[in-house]
Amino acid sequence: MSFGPEIVDDKSPICIPFILKRLGERQRIQHLNSKQHLSAESGKPPPFVIGLNGVQGVGKTTLVGQLAKALRSQHGLETLVVSIDDFYLTHDDQKALAASQPDNKLVACRGEPGTHDMKLASAFLEAVVRGKPARIPQYDKSAYAGEGDRVPETQWKVVNGPGQPKVEVVLLEGWCVGFRPLSSMEITAKWMAPSRTLQQHDLQDLEFVNGRLQSYEAITSLFDAFIHIDAEDLEWVYDWRMEQEVNLIRERGSGMTREQVVKFVDAYYPAYELYASKLRQGVFADKLSCHLRLMVSKDRRVKETFII
């Protein structure tokens, strides 16, 4: 028996029409200039790439599953769901990163921008966009007593392989997807202003993470549309995570304490304090009405909808 919060799907009925409208508009443009937009590898239009950012605990994993199911079964679109979590650095590379920044708590373990292998992510998505066969990386968060490691490549699933249908829609989801780097002046201003977690870190450590975020731009530039599941109050992520742990304790007999949850969320909350406000303004500088932002209340239900 589950004691978790009631799951109400009030988001996919908003997201699906948004996706289909954006996709239809792109298809019309491709029809006018088809030769330029055809995939060099498959002779077909490249897949429609959607970035999806959801604050942790808001239910983004459930949402992308619902979106993929609807796009496949109701609209006949071969849809691939990929998580930014599967592009975390290998255990050895994460250890090396932490050792190179021994005083920087932000990169002591996986989580913050800068702890993903963005060369791997870029190579994977670029192959999918070109219609080429590609292996989907997988990451095992339970490896090394919870420190995590990448699953051997021999176990990765293949898409766009011989005899397989070509991917038509890609959904890349993650809590930091779409975050864009700030200027040094912006970082300094946020660090000096009152905040929950930023003063726990040296300014140079925040600037290090911000510099690493530059490599994520190659992924963001591939997005044709963006969906942002936002929270009216970002600090609800602490309560939402605690709800998950209480549910785990009831179902399995173990889970994090309140103190452990606060420590866990504190590890990635600085990125929210740095980048959430910019994301709310829109991820695109050159694409109008391609960013859907859903503001949710404490019960995770949609309160307001914005198209940017």
Side-chain angles (χ1 to χ4, degrees), residues 6-296:
E6 179 186 4
I7 302 298
V8 176
D9 181 19
D10 63 345
K11 301 175 186 64
S12 62
I14 301 171
C15 295
I16 291 294
F18 168 79
I19 293 170
L20 295 177
K21 184 175 182 180
R22 301 283 82 76
L23 177 57
E25 290 175 352
R26 196 192 71 165
Q27 288 173 336
R28 284 191 289 273
I29 294 173
Q30 290 174 338
H31 181 71
L32 294 173
N33 195 7
S34 59
K35 291 184 179 180
Q36 179 180 344
H37 290 272
L38 290 179
S39 165
E41 300 296 328
S42 67
K44 295 182 178 180
F48 190 76
V49 183
I50 305 163
L52 191 146
N53 178 296
V55 294
Q56 294 199 8
V58 79
K60 63 181 175 295
T61 302
T62 299
L63 175 60
V64 293
Q66 292 164 335
L67 294 178
K69 181 179 178 180
L71 291 170
R72 291 185 192 117
S73 63
Q74 298 175 25
H75 303 283
L77 294 166
E78 186 64 28
T79 302
L80 171 66
V81 174
V82 186
S83 172
I84 193 72
D85 288 358
D86 283 322
F87 296 99
Y88 277 128
L89 295 169
T90 63
H91 184 262
D92 288 345
D93 287 345
Q94 176 58 48
K95 285 292 188 182
L97 173 63
S100 73
Q101 297 281 313
D103 298 322
N104 190 343
K105 294 181 290 184
L106 294 167
V107 294
C109 58
R110 70 175 191 270
E112 286 280 337
T115 63
H116 300 91
D117 185 339
M118 297 316 293
K119 288 184 178 179
L120 175 64
S122 296
F124 169 78
L125 285 176
E126 287 171 4
V128 174
V129 166
R130 294 176 62 190
K132 297 177 64 176
R135 291 183 177 273
I136 309 172
Q138 295 182 50
Y139 190 87
D140 180 4
K141 294 181 180 179
S142 67
Y144 290 95
E147 292 183 354
D149 198 7
R150 194 173 297 157
V151 172
E153 188 172 349
T154 54
Q155 299 179 32
W156 299 359
K157 295 181 180 179
V158 176
V159 293
N160 287 341
Q164 292 181 316
K166 294 295 183 182
V167 173
E168 296 172 287
V169 176
V170 178
L171 277 164
L172 175 64
E173 63 89 5
W175 73 275
C176 65
V177 170
F179 284 173
R180 311 203 80 155
L182 304 176
S183 69
S184 180
M185 185 179 297
E186 289 172 314
I187 292 288
T188 301
K190 287 182 177 290
W191 182 68
M192 294 180 67
S195 67
R196 180 175 178 125
T197 61
L198 294 183
Q199 284 75 38
Q200 298 175 16
H201 305 278
D202 290 339
L203 179 59
Q204 64 184 14
D205 294 339
L206 298 173
E207 289 177 334
F208 176 83
V209 170
N210 190 63
R212 295 292 289 253
L213 188 58
Q214 189 66 45
S215 64
Y216 291 60
E217 291 287 272
I219 297 300
T220 306
S221 67
L222 295 175
F223 296 155
D224 296 294
F226 194 82
I227 298 172
H228 180 195
I229 312 301
D230 197 5
E232 199 171 18
D233 184 342
L234 287 174
E235 291 197 20
W236 289 339
V237 297
Y238 290 88
D239 294 331
W240 289 341
R241 182 68 197 198
M242 194 65 236
E243 284 180 7
Q244 294 173 346
E245 294 305 317
V246 168
N247 194 36
L248 285 173
I249 292 171
R250 285 171 172 166
E251 292 185 337
R252 303 179 186 178
S254 63
M256 287 192 286
T257 65
R258 167 62 70 173
E259 292 74 19
Q260 290 171 324
V261 164
V262 169
K263 183 179 179 180
F264 175 81
V265 178
D266 277 353
Y268 61 79
Y269 198 79
Y272 286 137
E273 297 196 278
L274 289 177
Y275 306 112
S277 59
K278 186 172 184 178
L279 185 62
R280 286 168 173 162
Q281 297 170 16
V283 76
F284 301 115
D286 57 349
K287 298 176 185 176
L288 294 177
S289 302
C290 290
H291 181 141
L292 172 65
R293 176 174 164 235
L294 303 181
M295 178 72 76
V296 303

